[in-house]
């Protein structure tokens, strides 16, 4: 069984994806068993007398691709907000809990399995945003 393993991270004002890290100023690296994202840039070093390359850890969680796509063919990652056609309430955040991807809503005390995205054989999920770029969607869910 093959599955794509991809990651993304929020880089202060945009998402950075692991499949295009060569074009971004970010790289992904395992550090003591934890995948972290690092920003690459230059900063002034007094001792060196000029600009030197440096890297800083991005202080945001790295989010993993679930292996699923919404009904428009867009890849679903942790942190995405999905709208499910036949659910009430309809908007859910994708989270990774106890080794599994889940659909979570603040007003519901349990998590749904991510496979409800394909409920009854039909893909009913649409990505309507994510927790970083669309905070108004998470506020609506509270």
């Amino acid at each position: 069984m093959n599955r794509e393993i991809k990651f993304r991270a929020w880089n202060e004002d945009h998402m950075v994806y692991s499949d295009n890290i060569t074009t971004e100023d970010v790289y992904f690296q395992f550090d003591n068993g934890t995948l972290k994202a690092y920003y690459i840039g230059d900063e002034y070093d007094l001792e060196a007398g000029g600009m030197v390359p440096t890297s800083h850890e991005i202080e945001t969680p790295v989010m993993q691709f679930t292996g699923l796509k919404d009904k428009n063919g867009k890849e679903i990652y942790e942190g995405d907000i999905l709208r499910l056609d036949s659910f009430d309430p309809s908007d859910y955040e994708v989270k990774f809990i106890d080794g599994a991807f889940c659909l979570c809503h603040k007003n519901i005390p349990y998590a749904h399995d991510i496979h409800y995205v394909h409920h009854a054989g039909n893909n009913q999920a649409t990505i309507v945003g994510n927790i970083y770029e669309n905070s108004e969607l998470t506020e609506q869910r509270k």
Side-chain angles (χ1 to χ4, degrees), residues 17 65 68-76 80 127 129:
Y17 293 83
F65 173 47
L68 301 173
K69 296 181 179 180
D70 75 355
K71 62 183 174 182
N72 298 315
K74 192 171 176 186
E75 295 176 340
I76 300 172
D80 281 338
I127 297 171

Side-chain angles (χ1 to χ4, degrees), residues 103-129:
L103 302 172
C104 299
H105 190 285
K106 183 168 179 80
N107 296 330
I108 298 175
Y110 56 88
H112 292 291
D113 186 279
I114 189 73
H115 293 97
Y116 278 107
V117 165
H118 296 282
H119 187 66
N122 296 315
N123 189 334
Q124 62 170 339
T126 304
I127 297 171
V128 294

Side-chain angles (χ1 to χ4, degrees), residues 121-138:
N122 296 315
N123 189 334
Q124 62 170 339
T126 304
I127 297 171
V128 294
N130 65 65
I131 61 174
Y132 295 99
E133 295 173 293
N134 308 97
S135 60
E136 73 280 1
L137 291 174
T138 58

Side-chain angles (χ1 to χ4, degrees), residues 47-114:
E47 289 181 21
M51 300 300 282
V52 295
T54 186
S55 67
H56 303 283
E57 182 179 347
I58 297 172
E59 297 293 329
T60 185
V62 175
M63 297 161 275
Q64 186 173 356
F65 173 47
T66 64
L68 301 173
K69 296 181 179 180
D70 75 355
K71 62 183 174 182
N72 298 315
K74 192 171 176 186
E75 295 176 340
I76 300 172
Y77 283 80
E78 290 176 77
D80 281 338
I81 306 294
L82 303 181
R83 182 158 295 146
L84 301 176
D85 294 340
S86 63
F87 277 59
D88 185 26
S90 62
D91 292 356
Y92 290 82
E93 180 182 340
V94 177
K95 292 185 176 185
F96 193 76
I97 302 172
D98 294 332
F101 292 105
C102 301
L103 302 172
C104 299
H105 190 285
K106 183 168 179 80
N107 296 330
I108 298 175
Y110 56 88
H112 292 291
D113 186 279
I114 189 73

